[in-house]
Amino acid sequence: MRSRPLPTGSAPRSATGALAGALLSAALVALGTVSAVSLTPGRAQAAEPVGLHIEDARLVERDGTPFVARGINHAHTWYTSRTATAIPDIKAAGANAIRVVLSGGDRWTRNDAADVADVIARCKAAKVICMLEDHDTTGYGEQSGAVTLDKAADYFVSLKSVLVGQEDYVQLNIGNEPYGNTASVNAGWAADTSAAVVKLRAAGLQHNIVVDAPSWGQDWAGIMRDQATTVAAADPQHNVLFSVHMYGVYAQASTINAYFDAFAAQGLPLVVGEFGSTHSDGDVDEDTILAQAQARGIGWYGWSWSGNGGGVEYLDLATGWDPANLSAWGRRLVDGPNGLRATSVPATIFGTAPTPTPTPTPTPTAGTGTCTATYATVGTWQGGFQGSVTVTAGAAAIPRWSTTLTLPTGTTVQGWSGTYSQTGSTLTVSNAAWNGLLAAGASTTYGFVGTGAAPAAGTAVACS
């Protein structure tokens, strides 16, 4: 559906394409329709989960700690000589995860087991979670030379010797954007993806498996959205994470929210595997992607650190691979609201997560100024709305927080990223296990959908 970044001096990653106006309109309408199929939130079935896994529709670490990716894509297969510096540079920019482009040798130079082992070692040294993806599938059915998901699964099986034992640190993204826009080919997405997942499991790979949407990853026809339950059920480990790529199709907040809502309604885990601030197929609403991902606990990976060519150089986060020379897109993603520095939390497997001091800490009380909170209405529709509350620590760190706001009479809500209690019109939300500790001046956001009237603009929220 979109033109893809072209690494300088390499073959194009995908065909340049654009949806006709009528088709794009139909796509946006389709995205607003939530599938009626439901699935009980998946939980890894092994008695002892192996590494990163899905639990209650969230990606969590072995010990159950939620891991919310705040990552950047790195085009390793085209720029292997840059990886030794790119990985620590990406970490220094605030990322807790990196999505690494690989090739099985079908379209570009093969990244063999020794090379992949080196990439994993460098990610671990930098203390970032490593998502490995085979790029050879990009645009299958529309782009010449693209290979099947079955072929991509074979590639990961061939890497088994360096993957086994890395389940705490590595995710396997079977194939990048595995279909173009050919409807007859895309109809096989669920069956083909399920078969690839089963092949990896049969080979003994127990990692968290990430699967991309069709239609150049953007799922504008809602194929992954409507058939994800089939793929989730096919995995005997119940450990599949669904990945959407958000470019020009996601130009409006309503489209982004509708897609996120669809997965939340089905109890299925979602990550934004790629997105930019703009693209040849439209102006991306990156602010909503970032804000909603933070409110909902959804991971994301910005495209990409550096090396884009073919007219999409604006997608470089670091100009000329220089971490001191971020582009406008790089500054937005790294230092902007809900960006890397504001929201990234390292995986606890690396032992870098902040821990409360063992000395007694006074419990914050209302009116002490230890935290503040503000309410915002994200969107409304007939009979309902979506709201969010941003909690900000004061001049000193806080170990926990609790907020209270008054809802309009008759309004009820369901939310995420907090512990909810409602008595009449009084809504009390305290921190979840993973977002209570806030450094001085740091913020976190929780969100909810409501039935009834939305709170008025400027509604006061008490924070203690």
Side-chain angles (χ1 to χ4, degrees):
M1 197 286 295
R2 59 191 181 85
S3 61
R4 296 297 311 277
L6 175 64
T8 304
S10 73
R13 294 179 58 198
S14 72
T16 299
L19 289 173
L23 183 56
L24 180 56
S25 297
L28 296 179
V29 171
L31 283 172
T33 304
V34 177
S35 169
V37 179
S38 64
L39 181 72
T40 300
R43 180 182 296 270
Q45 296 301 302
E48 293 294 334
V50 177
L52 292 159
H53 62 283
I54 302 302
E55 187 172 295
D56 296 331
R58 277 184 177 276
L59 179 67
V60 302
E61 298 185 63
R62 183 190 296 263
D63 65 0
T65 302
F67 178 72
V68 182
R70 293 290 178 259
I72 290 175
N73 284 268
H74 167 55
H76 170 72
T77 198
W78 305 302
Y79 298 106
T80 53
S81 65
R82 297 282 189 176
T83 297
T85 54
I87 288 177
D89 285 346
I90 291 170
K91 169 64 176 181
N96 64 9
I98 298 178
R99 182 171 178 261
V100 180
V101 178
L102 302 176
S103 173
D106 296 292
R107 299 176 72 177
W108 298 283
T109 301
R110 178 183 176 89
N111 300 109
D112 61 17
D115 181 55
V116 173
D118 182 69
V119 168
I120 294 171
R122 292 183 184 280
C123 284
K124 291 169 69 175
K127 299 184 178 181
V128 291
I129 296 298
C130 190
M131 184 190 291
L132 304 175
E133 60 101 338
D134 183 356
H135 219 77
D136 294 340
T137 57
T138 306
Y140 178 74
E142 183 174 344
Q143 187 169 67
S144 176
V147 303
T148 63
L149 282 169
D150 184 65
K151 192 72 179 288
D154 286 339
Y155 172 56
F156 280 111
V157 172
S158 77
L159 300 174
K160 179 179 176 180
S161 63
V162 300
L163 296 177
V164 171
Q166 303 301 325
E167 296 86 357
D168 286 307
Y169 309 97
V170 173
Q171 299 168 273
L172 305 182
N173 188 180
I174 305 177
N176 180 72
E177 301 183 0
Y179 299 89
N181 289 325
T182 305
S184 60
V185 179
N186 290 3
W189 175 85
D192 295 346
T193 303
S194 296
V197 170
V198 170
K199 175 174 278 194
L200 295 185
R201 295 303 186 215
L205 296 173
Q206 300 185 63
H207 305 68
N208 174 246
I209 293 177
V210 184
V211 299
D212 277 13
S215 305
W216 298 105
Q218 297 206 73
D219 204 26
W220 55 262
I223 293 171
M224 184 173 80
R225 178 200 66 203
D226 295 342
Q227 299 182 43
T229 53
T230 299
V231 176
D235 180 15
Q237 297 289 329
H238 300 284
N239 192 13
V240 172
L241 177 62
F242 297 91
S243 175
V244 64
H245 294 182
M246 290 186 160
Y247 290 95
V249 167
Y250 298 90
Q252 297 177 323
S254 58
T255 309
I256 295 164
N257 283 319
Y259 200 84
F260 286 169
D261 287 345
F263 276 79
Q266 297 178 86
L268 292 171
L270 185 69
V271 66
V272 182
E274 290 183 21
F275 72 112
S277 58
T278 188
H279 203 49
S280 56
D281 58 356
D283 184 16
V284 186
D285 185 358
E286 72 277 10
D287 290 341
T288 294
I289 293 172
L290 290 165
Q292 284 299 304
Q294 181 63 15
R296 299 167 184 257
I298 293 174
W300 50 254
Y301 296 77
W303 184 275
S304 67
W305 184 240
S306 200
N308 291 286
V312 294
E313 291 83 358
Y314 52 78
L315 286 171
D316 280 1
L317 293 159
T319 303
W321 301 92
D322 181 1
N325 188 19
L326 297 181
S327 66
W329 167 220
R331 292 191 298 273
R332 172 65 188 92
L333 192 74
V334 172
D335 294 313
N338 299 302
L340 288 176
R341 297 200 190 281
T343 66
S344 179
V345 177
T348 61
I349 190 67
F350 297 117
T352 55
T355 55
T357 175
T359 57
T361 302
T363 301
T365 58
T368 64
T370 55
C371 62
T372 58
T374 56
Y375 168 81
T377 298
V378 177
T380 60
W381 53 88
Q382 185 173 2
F385 68 97
Q386 180 176 329
S388 69
V389 173
T390 300
V391 177
T392 304
I398 56 174
R400 65 191 67 84
W401 49 263
S402 179
T403 63
T404 304
L405 74 155
T406 301
L407 300 170
T409 301
T411 293
T412 58
V413 304
Q414 291 182 310
W416 51 88
S417 300
T419 303
Y420 288 72
S421 174
Q422 183 174 348
T423 303
S425 296
T426 301
L427 176 66
T428 301
V429 182
S430 56
N431 59 271
W434 52 273
N435 65 355
L437 179 64
L438 296 177
S443 298
T444 189
T445 302
Y446 66 82
F448 48 84
V449 291
T451 300
T459 293
V461 184
C463 185
S464 60

